[in-house]
Amino acid sequence: MITDIRGLYVHIPFCIRKCNYCDFASLGGSFDEHIDAYIDRLLSEAEEYRENEKVKIDTLYFGGGTPSLLSLERLEKILLPLSDIFDFSSDLEFTLEANPGTLDYEKAVGYRSLGVNRISMGLQSIHENELKILGRIHTYTDFLECYSALRRAGFENLNVDLMYGIPECTVDSFGKTLDAVTALSPEHISAYGLIVEEGTPFYNMRKTLALPTEDEEADMYYLASEKLARAGYSHYEISNYARAGRESRHNLRYWHDEEYIGIGVSAYSYYKNKRYGNTRSLKEYLSSAPRENYEKIDGEAERFEYAMMHLRLSSGIDLTVYKERFGIPFAYGKEDRIAEYSERGLVSISGNRLSLTEQGFYLSNMILSDLL
Ligand code: SF4
């Protein structure tokens, strides 16, 4: 849907140390050397979006990397020009990703005073052996201290990232992680399955990693769905669970196929019906390398993106809206496949909405590549 309100994503590509599984555009240990030049470059990129009638923004998301490495002064140095270039709405959802060990009470209070109202924390596991294997910089105790500091500082909207399928992780150990985190009652929980990506230390170690089997991983996925539903979280997207009204508004924008602007290394934008991305190389970004993958989305590509994004959500696709927008029914010519998935309990059709079931979510890659 094209609206004149967008989301703004700001990528901070620095971390204290690179985690063993990490495939994000982030660099370990190079923060001080590059951060000020990086902020200058970010702001010059943001200037490209200055318009006479300012672009309206109602979600702002600082992702990374580890944005919580930013001092209050540096965060303010970024925010002041951004709030001049863009028109931030009065009910702005302002999320900042944080890692335990990089955020204390004082900084949390400062972030609140600068308008941050949602923190997304990377925990992954409560078990020290699993955190160590992942190469995380923090312990579970660090996380608990950070969580408590955020609550005391007045944050009422927190997300905790969890991971299953970690080497040495069992269904039982993952269940304990879920129980401990739901007992804290964050407003939002994300649970992602580990993917061993090429180019990461885990990829080189893949033959020796004690990874859970596919069946165990499936059990972990269903355990998360079950325990989180029982704890009052709605499974609104394949990997995301929220208390009522606490879904990530910024991420919903991606899944609803709405426009957003991304600035920084590796950041993608979908703006004025075009999609484009920045280089993943910090060096190239700092030297103002041109954007990559510049493409106008229309025709089949637009239908594909729309369907793929909407089917990640429990609300699925509105078949009437789809047909009105694209002029043909969803999955035209594949009605028999839909009927088969529906019989197998993987797809649900209710009124004019088609969505994936819990089981369908787990098999979404296979279903989407078949239908789209
Ligand atoms: S903290 Fe996040 S972005 Fe940084 S290295 Fe670890 S997984 Fe990657």
Side-chain angles (χ1 to χ4, degrees), residues 73-136:
E73 294 71 26
R74 284 188 170 120
L75 182 58
E76 194 170 21
K77 193 177 159 194
I78 300 172
L79 290 175
L80 282 176
L82 290 186
S83 59
D84 185 48
I85 296 166
F86 299 104
D87 177 7
F88 288 144
S89 85
S90 54
D91 72 336
L92 184 77
E93 178 194 81
F94 182 178
T95 305
L96 185 135
E97 288 180 353
N99 269 335
T102 61
L103 187 56
D104 57 15
Y105 173 72
E106 207 186 337
K107 207 184 212 182
V109 170
Y111 281 173
R112 281 285 297 147
S113 71
L114 291 175
V116 182
N117 51 28
R118 184 172 184 270
I119 295 277
S120 177
M121 303 176 73
L123 167 63
Q124 319 311 345
S125 166
I126 65 163
H127 305 287
E128 302 308 332
N129 64 322
E130 294 174 15
L131 291 173
K132 207 164 164 205
I133 287 172
L134 291 174
R136 302 288 300 177

Side-chain angles (χ1 to χ4, degrees), residues 72-324:
L72 299 181
E73 294 71 26
R74 284 188 170 120
L75 182 58
E76 194 170 21
K77 193 177 159 194
I78 300 172
L79 290 175
L80 282 176
L82 290 186
S83 59
D84 185 48
I85 296 166
F86 299 104
D87 177 7
F88 288 144
S89 85
S90 54
D91 72 336
L92 184 77
E93 178 194 81
F94 182 178
T95 305
L96 185 135
E97 288 180 353
N99 269 335
T102 61
L103 187 56
D104 57 15
Y105 173 72
E106 207 186 337
K107 207 184 212 182
V109 170
Y111 281 173
R112 281 285 297 147
S113 71
L114 291 175
V116 182
N117 51 28
R118 184 172 184 270
I119 295 277
S120 177
M121 303 176 73
L123 167 63
Q124 319 311 345
S125 166
I126 65 163
H127 305 287
E128 302 308 332
N129 64 322
E130 294 174 15
L131 291 173
K132 207 164 164 205
I133 287 172
L134 291 174
R136 302 288 300 177
I137 56 161
H138 57 86
T139 62
Y140 178 45
T141 307
D142 293 333
F143 165 81
L144 289 174
E145 280 168 10
C146 186
Y147 190 92
S148 151
L150 287 165
R151 286 299 198 208
R152 280 182 286 122
F155 280 94
E156 293 173 352
N157 199 359
L158 298 179
N159 169 56
V160 179
D161 276 346
L162 301 179
M163 188 176 269
Y164 57 92
I166 300 169
E168 291 188 19
C169 175
T170 62
V171 176
D172 184 52
S173 75
F174 183 56
K176 289 196 168 82
T177 292
L178 289 166
D179 290 342
V181 171
T182 49
L184 292 170
S185 206
E187 285 67 30
H188 191 285
I189 296 175
S190 302
Y192 296 95
L194 171 75
I195 299 173
V196 176
E197 303 276 8
E198 217 173 322
T200 62
F202 265 6
Y203 189 79
N204 300 332
M205 297 150 67
R206 65 193 182 283
K207 293 199 175 114
T208 54
L209 291 175
L211 290 166
T213 64
E214 264 181 40
D215 284 351
E216 285 167 335
E217 210 173 308
D219 287 347
M220 291 176 199
Y221 171 84
Y222 289 118
L223 189 65
S225 307
E226 195 187 303
K227 279 189 183 281
L228 294 175
R230 221 181 304 135
Y233 293 87
S234 134
H235 190 179
Y236 74 102
E237 194 269 348
I238 292 178
S239 308
N240 287 281
Y241 304 79
R243 295 257 191 245
R246 296 303 195 156
E247 296 83 3
S248 162
R249 278 169 45 201
H250 185 82
N251 289 339
L252 275 174
R253 184 181 293 285
Y254 300 140
W255 300 317
H256 283 155
D257 203 32
E258 293 171 359
E259 291 200 348
Y260 53 90
I261 292 168
I263 57 173
V265 163
S266 80
Y268 266 78
S269 299
Y270 175 28
Y271 186 59
K272 297 191 175 172
N273 206 29
K274 292 193 179 72
R275 289 180 200 270
Y276 45 88
N278 284 331
T279 170
R280 281 176 68 94
S281 153
L282 177 65
K283 199 169 155 213
E284 283 178 17
Y285 181 71
L286 290 177
S287 64
S288 304
R291 296 199 174 102
E292 299 169 347
N293 309 317
Y294 204 78
E295 59 175 326
K296 190 168 186 317
I297 295 290
D298 52 15
E300 201 175 326
E302 190 184 3
R303 290 200 298 274
F304 178 86
E305 288 279 341
Y306 182 94
M308 202 179 70
M309 289 297 166
H310 280 80
L311 285 175
R312 295 186 63 93
L313 293 166
S314 59
S315 51
I317 286 187
D318 183 321
L319 299 170
T320 312
V321 170
Y322 184 95
K323 192 171 171 204
E324 274 168 15

Side-chain angles (χ1 to χ4, degrees), residues 15 17-19 21-22 24 26 64-66 99 136:
C15 290
R17 190 178 70 210
K18 195 81 180 158
C19 299
Y21 59 96
C22 180
F24 299 122
S26 68
T66 306
N99 269 335
R136 302 288 300 177

